[in-house]
Each structure stands twice: as structure tokens, then as C-alpha cells.
Amino acid sequence: MKKWMNRISTLFLFGFSVIILFMSLKLKVGSLNNPEAGFAPFLASLLLLFLSAVILIKDFLSFAEADQKVPFITWKNLMKPINLMGALIGYGLLFTTLGYVTSTFLLMLAMFIIYESKKWMHKIITACIIAGISFLIFDVWLRVPLPKGIFDFSSFIKTWW
Amino acid sequence: MDVFGNVLYGFQISLQPINLLYCFVGVILGTLTGVLPGLGPSGTIAILLPITFNAPAVSSVIMLAGIFYGAQYGGSTTSILVSIPGEPSSIVTCIDGHQMARHGRAGPALGISAFGSFIAGTVGVIGLMFVASPLAKIALKFGPPEYFSLMVLGLIILIYLTQKSLIKAISMGAFGLILSFFGLDIVSGQPRFAFGLDELFDGVGIVPVAMGLFGVAETLANLEKTEEVKIFETHIKGLLPSRKDWADSIWPLIRGTTIGFFLGILPGGGAILSSFVSYAVEKKVSKHPERFGQGTIEGVAGPEAANNAASSTGFIPLLTLGIPANVVLAMLLAGLLIHNITPGPLLLKQHPDVFWGVITSMYTGNVLLLVLNLPLIGMWVQITKLPYRLLFPLIILFCVIGVYSINNAVFDIWIMLIFGAIGYFMKKCDYEPAPLTLAYVLGPMMEQALRQSLIISNGSFSIFFFRPISAIALVVAVFLLVTAFTGFAKQKRLQVVEGE
């Protein structure tokens, strides 16, 4: 699996460098005595293109026997990071709509569940407390304008405080 | 004003109650991040950068600096007690420090580590006071070619020190450089790589990128681990080293401090390199090299002194040349830039309060760390037992709010998540994030220096080789790359770590 992950990550860098290379040319590279906006990105993308090509070639030529001896990652281990990323993407999507307090409560609850799924009541109360206290710290004290959303719990917290 | 006058002026600033408070918070947070494996000073500084927006510039930088050198102190605690380095610069401390703990000598190991760190940190700060000012004056004579070559050297030294694939580390450096070019061109003001998104006209922010790479990616990686870290149960007694411990440690402390002092000044050098070199030197000069790896106090005193001296002198290239020696100092540079303070030779003239205030606060911070660390060692040990299930949601929450609060934009959260995912998968494939971050911070300065140099020389690259400082920096960089590719350096370092 590591071999494939390696190839995918290196292909990502390769593709990225190709895109930047063409965009730099479009920006105009200029000349050595008058370098323009695309000059430095062109050089950096050329270097990245070369290096990622070398890594890819090395990877295809090697049999990577050593990699197979060590278990790289299992689906069981990968589940928690994937779930956390899913929760964070959901948080990003709902952040302005639901508001800071509600979306943070849901994110906290999701993260507690991701780690272990016992003691539900305990988790709900802890998530509530963290969402409320963090709102007080950042919105009320540090004056970070956090989104209120459709469930405006923020005014309730402020009134209660 | 002479050095003493400047130092007095610096103390007037750093001893103001507000700055003392920031220094206190910084060293406490630094120790905490050093103690907690999985949350390094880079991540902490990234998380705290947005919070410092509304704080005075001097206070903010004092706090961020406190996090950096405080982490060196804290990192040794986990190395000695758990054999997990809280910081890469404490890797070497694991070898003999943990063995000392296993032999019932955790107290002297922690004690000599704290005292050694204090002595070395203080010597480093004193050196910083005397060296920084003359160096800043010399640096005024540097032109774009010197700056460009020194930045290349800094980047190459960092790449040279990476623990995994060298070619992948260089790739990450190139990737970081490209990312730093997003946004408006420094000369023409032409938008670059905006992909039709208005938010990218200002480029990709350092805070979302750093938080993604160090905060989110680290958390994702730590979530994979199913086993809980086992703390070595021991009764910590006798934190004050005995007379014999002092006698055994005094020369390693002096040598470690000297090594750390000089290696810390090198752009790209610093705490990690100096601790490895110090351990190798101690082993070499010892009459009983066979005791190394078995729990000898010299193996703790030398590297701990070295990494702390280096963390103080690491500020020299940052404050005088504007070149961060490592990724944590790169984050600190970002903190200075946020407050419209450009470190470099003119810093001393334009912002003497920042320059001398930060330097003298490091002395205050070292005293605070010694006073705090020894009596509170029990508390730090308890903190190492904090369950990760409680820690990681808080790290994520701080990342999210920290990133959002910069521009009050959800777009920055998306950037952080993208770099979190990139950082996680890249790390799995042996691509390290440190060269990316340093290259990202240095990128705009490197581009400006390169373009100016080429314009000055009428398009000839020979300008980099005909100017002595620039030529030396480039020759050293090439030498390091060649030795690194031949595998010699890696073998040497592995030998040190494995205690062969």
C-alpha cells in the first residue's frame, strides 16, 4: 500500500509542478537580466518537476521489498483520521449556517465519538461546555466575531453570562 | 549607546509587568508543548499567532520566543521519563536520560537537564547581546546576492538534517517555494496562481498552511496510534545533582554550550544538530565511552546544554539578517511580519524596543524556566499522562478558531484542512513538512533577492560566486548536499543515535 500511496503523492507533486510550469510561462518568465513575474515560479516548478520525476522513476524501478515487511497502515487505523477529516469538512460546511456554538458542539461530539463511543451523556455535556466556554473566551473576551447562525445560542450564552 | 546601555534599555522593556506576563505565558506554554508529545512549538506558535494580532508587538514576540526556548526545557522531561522526545532536539537525551531514570536516577537527570539548560541558555543570551549588534552592522553591507545565498544555505542545512528521504525533502522545499509565490507579484503587482479565487490574491496565508501541516496533520497521524503511551513509573527524588554529578557534568556543559552557541548561529543549524554533535563529542572525549547508552550523566548534560544554547543563538540570524534558522523561528518571523516588523540589519535602528526587549526577555525567561521547572516537575509528569482523547479535540478547536479569526473567513479553514490532508499523506510517504514551511517563509525574500541580483549583474549568475560571503555560503551548501547524497552524514547520525 505504501508503494501506491508514494506514487499517488509523488504524482500529485508532479501534476502540480506541471500546472505551475505552464502558468508561469503564461505569466511571462522574462529574461535573465529582466526576470518577470513567472521567473521564480518557473525555476521552482522545474526543480519540483525534475525531482518528482526522479522519485517516480526510482519507485517504478525498485521492488520495494523492505516496504512490504513493515505494515504501513491498516484500514482500522485509517478510520479515525478519515472520520476526523469528514467531521472537519462537515464543520466547514455548516460553520456559518449553524453558527459557531452549534457547529462546534457537533464537532466536539463527533471527535469524542471518533475516539471511543462509550459514555454518551458524558460526551454531550463535555461538548456543550467546551462549545460554550470557547465562545465566551473568543467571542466575548477576545472579540473574535464568530458566526451566530440560525440557532442563535450565542445571545443566550451572553445573557446567561 | 554601548551594549550595557542597550541591555539596560532592554530590561526596562522586558521587565514591564505586561511583558513579564507574556514571557511567563510563553515559557509555560513552551514547556507544555515540549512535555506533550504530538504538539510541537511550531504548531503552538501557529495556533497562537492570530491571538497575538491585537497584542503589542514586543509582548507578542516575547511570548512566541518563550514558547520556542521553553519547549527545549520541556522536551527533556518526556525524553527522560517516557523515552519519547517531546522535541526533535531532545532525541539524544532519550538515550542516557531514560536509562538514568530506569536506574532510579530520574531526579539527577531532570536536575542536570534543567540546570544545564539554564546555564547554556543564559550564556547563549549573553553571547546574543554581544554578537547580534556588530553582526547587524556588518549585515548592512550585505546585498541581494549575499542574502539569497545565505537563505539557500539555511534551506539546505534544514534539508540536510531531515531524517528521511533527502530528495523528498528538497521536493518539499520546492513545493513550499511555489506556494509562497501565490498572490501578487512583488515587482509588477500582477496576480499569480489565483485560480479565479479572490481570496488567493493575497496568497495562501502562512497560518492556515502551518496549522494544517503541524496541527491537523499531526493530530491525524496521532489518531492512528492505538496504543497508549506508558509512563515509566518512578519516584523522582534528588533533583539537585550531587557534587559528583556536577564534577562529571561541568565539562560536558561547557563543551555543549560552546557547540550549541556556534552551531546555533548558522542559518539552518540549531538545536537538533548541536545536540547530536555534542553527544558525539562527549562520547569521543570520554574515558569511558562504553558507559554511553547505559545512563551516564554526561550524555544528558552535553546535549541539553547544546540545544538550549543553540535555541538562544538561533535568534542571531533571525534578528540581524532576517533569516530564520529553523521552522520554529520561521513561524516567529511570520509573527514579526504580522506586526509590520521586518527583522534584519535595520531592526536594531527601527525597532530597538523589539530587538533588545526580546533578547533580555530571554534571560528573564530562562530564570522563570528554572524556577518553574524544578518545583513543578511533578505537575509536568502528570501532564504527560493527559489522555489524548481530551487533548486532540482541543488542539483541533484552537486550530479552527485561530485560523478563522485571522480574516473571519471560512476559506482559511478550508486551506487549513487541505494542508492538513496533504501534510498527513505526505508524512506517511516520508515527505517532511519542515522544509516546506521554511521555504514558504523564505520564498518571497529569496525571489526578491534573486531578481535583484540578476538585474544588478545584468543577467549573470556569476554574481553569486564573485562575492566572497555569497560564494562561501553556496560552496558550503553544495558540500552539504554532496555529503548528504553520499549517505555519509546519515550513517554518522544513525551511529550517534544508536550509540554504536
Side-chain angles (χ1 to χ4, degrees):
Chain A
M1 190 175 177
K2 181 164 187 175
K3 209 172 172 182
W4 282 107
M5 291 269 282
N6 246 326
R7 281 179 193 169
I8 292 167
S9 55
T10 313
L11 273 171
F12 164 76
L13 290 178
F14 186 84
F16 180 75
S17 61
V18 170
I19 293 168
I20 298 295
L21 193 77
F22 280 106
M23 288 180 84
S24 313
L25 290 171
K26 223 173 159 186
L27 278 168
K28 283 186 186 170
V29 173
S31 60
L32 278 179
N33 53 9
N34 185 27
E36 289 192 38
F39 183 75
F42 175 78
L43 290 182
S45 56
L46 207 62
L47 176 67
L48 185 61
L49 182 74
F50 170 73
L51 292 171
S52 50
V54 170
I55 298 168
L56 275 175
I57 292 165
K58 264 179 81 176
D59 187 51
F60 278 106
L61 290 177
S62 74
F63 292 96
E65 283 169 7
D67 288 349
Q68 286 157 12
K69 287 174 192 165
V70 186
F72 172 58
I73 190 166
T74 60
W75 278 111
K76 195 185 155 199
N77 288 351
L78 203 58
M79 280 319 287
K80 279 181 188 171
I82 288 175
N83 287 337
L84 178 60
M85 272 314 280
L88 284 167
I89 290 168
Y91 184 71
L93 291 170
L94 298 172
F95 191 63
T96 35
T97 320
L98 291 185
Y100 173 79
V101 179
T102 316
S103 55
T104 302
F105 163 74
L106 291 173
L107 176 70
M108 284 292 131
L109 193 62
M111 287 197 281
F112 289 140
I113 294 166
I114 286 167
Y115 206 85
E116 59 174 11
S117 53
K118 294 173 209 163
K119 296 179 188 167
W120 271 86
M121 208 55 209
H122 184 248
K123 285 181 175 55
I124 292 171
I125 293 168
T126 317
C128 261
I129 292 170
I130 292 176
I133 290 178
S134 62
F135 176 80
L136 276 177
I137 293 173
F138 290 97
D139 191 286
V140 180
W141 293 336
L142 295 172
R143 313 262 164 112
V144 176
L146 297 168
K148 309 287 177 275
I150 47 169
F151 308 111
D152 193 3
F153 286 115
S154 51
S155 48
F156 167 73
I157 294 172
K158 279 180 186 169
T159 318
W160 178 79
W161 180 249
Chain B
M1 233 193 301
D2 60 351
V3 174
F4 293 103
N6 287 323
V7 170
L8 271 178
Y9 171 66
F11 274 118
Q12 278 173 17
I13 291 158
S14 63
L15 290 177
Q16 283 173 12
I18 181 78
N19 292 335
L20 262 180
L21 178 71
Y22 272 86
C23 184
F24 176 77
V25 173
V27 294
I28 285 279
L29 284 173
T31 312
L32 189 70
T33 55
V35 166
L36 290 171
L39 181 68
S42 322
T44 313
I45 292 177
I47 291 167
L48 289 176
L49 269 183
I51 296 172
T52 65
F53 284 0
N54 297 323
V58 186
S59 311
S60 308
V61 183
I62 284 175
M63 184 181 77
L64 299 176
I67 294 171
F68 173 52
Y69 56 81
Q72 311 298 331
Y73 272 76
S76 56
T77 309
T78 42
S79 294
I80 291 165
L81 297 176
V82 201
S83 193
I84 293 177
E87 278 309 297
S89 57
S90 305
I91 291 171
V92 180
T93 312
C94 288
I95 306 169
D96 281 284
H98 189 60
Q99 283 306 318
M100 280 181 77
R102 291 206 158 270
H103 294 133
R105 285 175 43 79
L110 290 164
I112 202 70
S113 154
F115 281 112
S117 300
F118 172 73
I119 295 165
T122 306
V123 172
V125 174
I126 293 168
L128 179 59
M129 288 169 181
F130 285 97
V131 176
S133 182
L135 193 66
K137 281 175 191 149
I138 297 169
L140 276 172
K141 291 170 189 158
F142 285 11
E146 283 81 11
Y147 273 105
F148 178 76
S149 304
L150 282 170
M151 283 186 270
V152 169
L153 175 63
L155 206 52
I156 295 295
I157 295 178
L158 185 82
I159 286 165
Y160 174 80
L161 291 174
T162 50
Q163 293 165 354
K164 290 164 186 167
S165 164
L166 193 73
I167 196 164
K168 287 182 176 176
I170 304 173
S171 308
M172 288 310 264
F175 187 37
L177 283 177
I178 294 172
L179 289 173
S180 76
F181 301 141
F182 279 44
L184 300 177
D185 175 38
I186 42 169
V187 178
S188 63
Q190 193 180 352
R192 298 190 292 191
F193 317 117
F195 298 99
L197 297 165
D198 292 346
E199 290 91 341
L200 282 180
F201 269 51
D202 284 336
V204 191
I206 176 69
V207 181
V209 171
M211 280 202 197
L213 291 173
F214 293 100
V216 178
E218 281 291 327
T219 309
L220 291 171
N222 286 331
L223 270 181
E224 274 178 21
K225 296 168 192 161
T226 45
E227 78 274 16
E228 286 282 326
V229 175
K230 291 266 187 298
I231 306 292
F232 177 63
E233 293 292 343
T234 180
H235 182 63
I236 302 166
K237 53 183 179 184
L239 282 169
L240 295 177
S242 65
R243 198 170 281 187
K244 187 183 178 304
D245 289 335
W246 275 113
D248 290 340
S249 308
I250 192 73
W251 283 108
L253 284 178
I254 293 169
R255 281 189 290 265
T257 305
T258 314
I259 290 165
F261 184 91
F262 288 106
L263 288 181
I265 297 175
L266 281 180
I272 307 169
L273 177 67
S274 57
S275 61
F276 277 100
V277 172
S278 166
Y279 191 82
V281 168
E282 289 313 318
K283 203 174 165 185
K284 199 95 184 159
V285 300
S286 173
K287 286 175 187 163
H288 304 284
E290 72 283 355
R291 286 188 196 161
F292 279 74
Q294 310 293 319
T296 181
I297 201 160
E298 294 97 309
V300 180
E304 278 300 311
N307 69 32
N308 277 277
S311 64
S312 299
T313 53
F315 279 83
I316 294 174
L318 176 71
L319 295 177
T320 56
L321 303 170
I323 300 173
N326 54 50
V327 72
V328 187
L329 288 171
M331 297 300 301
L332 227 125
L333 172 68
L336 284 162
L337 294 174
I338 283 168
H339 285 96
N340 284 327
I341 296 168
T342 312
L346 292 175
L347 180 72
L348 196 59
K349 220 171 195 177
Q350 290 169 343
H351 300 280
D353 53 334
V354 173
F355 191 91
W356 292 108
V358 172
I359 289 178
T360 50
S361 80
M362 288 163 72
Y363 186 77
T364 324
N366 273 301
V367 176
L368 280 175
L369 279 167
L370 186 70
V371 174
L372 287 172
N373 266 347
L374 286 180
L376 295 182
I377 203 90
M379 186 188 86
W380 298 124
V381 173
Q382 288 304 314
I383 285 173
T384 59
K385 296 175 184 173
L386 187 73
Y388 199 66
R389 67 171 183 278
L390 289 179
L391 186 63
F392 92 89
L394 294 176
I395 296 173
I396 292 290
L397 184 65
F398 278 116
C399 287
V400 169
I401 302 179
V403 157
Y404 178 79
S405 63
I406 305 166
N407 301 314
N408 301 325
V410 182
F411 181 79
D412 288 335
I413 298 181
W414 290 120
I415 294 285
M416 180 186 76
L417 293 184
I418 290 167
F419 278 92
I422 288 175
Y424 171 69
F425 282 107
M426 289 296 186
K427 213 172 167 191
K428 298 243 64 117
C429 301
D430 298 338
Y431 286 96
E432 294 183 60
L436 188 156
T437 318
L438 189 62
Y440 180 87
V441 174
L442 292 177
M445 290 186 277
M446 283 177 83
E447 185 189 9
Q448 191 175 14
L450 175 68
R451 285 168 74 174
Q452 283 174 341
S453 304
L454 288 174
I455 292 167
I456 293 167
S457 67
N458 211 11
S460 167
F461 279 101
S462 62
I463 191 169
F464 297 108
F465 298 97
F466 285 129
R467 294 171 75 140
I469 295 170
S470 167
I472 292 167
L474 287 180
V475 167
V476 174
V478 171
F479 172 76
L480 286 175
L481 271 184
V482 171
T483 52
F485 270 113
T486 53
F488 172 77
K490 200 173 179 180
Q491 271 176 14
K492 273 281 166 207
R493 195 174 54 195
L494 281 174
Q495 277 175 17
V496 172
V497 177
E498 287 161 6
E500 280 171 19

